Amino acid sequence: PALPFSFPYFPNSPFLSIKYLFMLFSFPSPLFLGIGQMAATILILYVSKLNKIVHFPDFDKSIPMKLFPLPLIYVGNHISGLSSTSKLSLPMFTVLRKFTIPLTLLLEIIILGKRYPLSIIVSVFAIILGAFIAAGSDLSFNLEGYTFVLLNDIFTAANGVYTKQKIDPKELGKYGVLFYNACFMVVPTVIISFSTGDFQQATHFQHWTNFLFVFQFILSCLLGFLLMYSTVLCSHYNSALTTTVVGAIKNISIAYIGMLIGGDYIFSVLNFIGLNICMAGGLRYSFLTFRGDSKPTQPGDEE
């Protein structure tokens, strides 16, 4: 599938950049792109550490236990997210990603022992109601795409909660979590990519001599690192739930953009209503956050 124009379009988010690769160039290898994003993360953080721009502990035998189970969640999140990106329209991808929010809420209650006021829970379920309405009227239903994105919701929720638990500055810190996650999972991802034929498809892809494609691929890798870094940074200063809702609000803008330029959105009244309910719930959560209502009852989080 191709975007409905031929001039260079520079997206405003990692998802749009990735979608651009899959749509305009029909790039066949989501795992290879994931490897590129992990490699960019390792290179940027390692060079930054050598130049004393960032600091995180050197490797020792205790680090794998400190990180577990984040590396497994990380690679599951990466693979399911990239796979679902190539199979769903922009608006439906962003709508189905809203199910990450109640999963994060549930995991924070179970794993971190947090409690949220009723007003926050109502805002969260308003977002989910909108997602149900929009997804129920999706005329371009894709079972494989829906399966991947719902798996991605589970992995993303778990990643957010466990990241909040692991980024203690006295341990690995936010940079250490990012760096060692990528280091531990890049080799298994390469093996999976080889065994599924994904790596071979990528290396034989015909557009590697196309400057626009190479530029867009590198941009997607860099933006992938930037997205992971900003997510960890937000989780460091806020709750995992706030990080998830902020991402959901950002993605709503992508849904509206997808209606205009994606070329693969099928309009329906219920779908449009659902998207707007999602936005209303997200804005309500934002209002409560700025007012201070979203701070969980467990002390210690820096909002």
Side-chain angles (χ1 to χ4, degrees):
L3 290 171
F5 44 79
S6 57
F7 56 85
Y9 166 64
F10 300 102
N12 65 350
S13 78
F15 173 67
L16 284 177
S17 181
I18 293 167
K19 187 70 174 176
Y20 187 72
L21 285 179
F22 290 133
M23 294 178 69
L24 181 60
F25 297 104
S26 299
F27 187 65
S29 308
L31 285 178
F32 188 86
L33 180 57
I35 293 168
Q37 292 180 345
M38 293 179 197
T41 299
I42 294 169
L43 180 62
I44 291 171
L45 291 179
Y46 184 72
V47 171
S48 299
K49 179 179 170 65
L50 289 179
N51 289 277
K52 302 186 184 303
I53 298 172
V54 303
H55 304 279
F56 53 87
D58 295 328
F59 180 80
D60 62 62
K61 62 182 180 180
S62 68
I63 285 180
M65 290 304 299
K66 290 179 180 178
L67 267 183
F68 187 83
L70 264 182
L72 298 179
I73 296 171
Y74 175 85
V75 75
N77 189 27
H78 230 78
I79 293 172
S80 59
L82 291 171
S83 298
S84 60
T85 299
S86 63
K87 298 179 185 301
L88 292 174
S89 66
L90 281 167
M92 287 318 304
F93 177 87
T94 55
V95 165
L96 291 173
R97 290 285 287 133
K98 301 301 173 292
F99 291 99
T100 303
I101 300 173
L103 290 171
T104 302
L105 179 67
L106 181 62
L107 288 177
E108 280 201 323
I109 292 172
I110 294 173
I111 297 173
L112 303 181
K114 295 183 177 181
R115 296 294 182 270
Y116 287 94
L118 181 61
S119 56
I120 289 295
I121 296 174
V122 170
S123 299
V124 165
F125 280 93
I127 298 173
I128 303 312
L129 175 62
F132 267 114
I133 293 173
S137 62
D138 182 14
L139 302 180
S140 57
F141 180 81
N142 182 313
L143 179 60
E144 187 178 2
Y146 274 41
T147 301
F148 274 120
V149 79
L150 292 176
L151 284 173
N152 189 229
D153 290 342
I154 296 171
F155 283 121
T156 301
N159 186 70
V161 173
Y162 278 106
T163 296
K164 180 66 177 179
Q165 189 182 58
K166 303 288 185 180
I167 56 178
D168 185 349
K170 297 178 182 178
E171 298 292 335
L172 295 178
K174 52 185 177 291
Y175 299 112
V177 167
L178 280 173
F179 180 79
Y180 289 115
N181 252 336
C183 286
F184 290 152
M185 295 318 302
V186 67
V187 173
T189 306
V190 169
I191 293 173
I192 295 172
S193 181
F194 262 110
S195 63
T196 59
D198 179 274
F199 194 92
Q200 293 85 337
Q201 287 181 323
T203 54
H204 291 93
F205 190 59
Q206 59 182 345
H207 288 295
W208 285 112
T209 56
N210 185 326
F211 172 79
L212 179 59
F213 168 77
V214 174
F215 172 78
Q216 198 71 35
F217 183 87
I218 294 173
L219 181 63
S220 296
C221 293
L222 295 177
L223 288 175
F225 161 73
L226 184 61
L227 176 62
M228 288 185 284
Y229 171 68
S230 61
T231 300
V232 169
L233 192 64
C234 188
S235 296
H236 176 69
Y237 288 109
N238 303 282
S239 67
L241 181 63
T242 297
T243 301
T244 304
V245 173
V246 168
I249 297 171
K250 178 265 299 179
N251 285 337
I252 284 291
S253 65
I254 301 175
Y256 288 123
I257 293 171
M259 294 178 189
L260 301 175
I261 65 171
D264 55 354
Y265 176 69
I266 302 175
F267 177 83
S268 74
V269 174
L270 284 178
N271 185 276
F272 185 73
I273 291 173
L275 288 174
N276 284 281
I277 292 175
C278 283
M279 175 60 88
L283 292 176
R284 174 64 177 169
Y285 182 94
S286 298
F287 171 76
L288 294 172
T289 299
F290 291 135
R291 203 174 67 177
D293 291 358
S294 71
K295 191 170 184 177
T297 57
Q298 183 191 36
D301 277 345
E302 186 179 354
E303 290 289 343

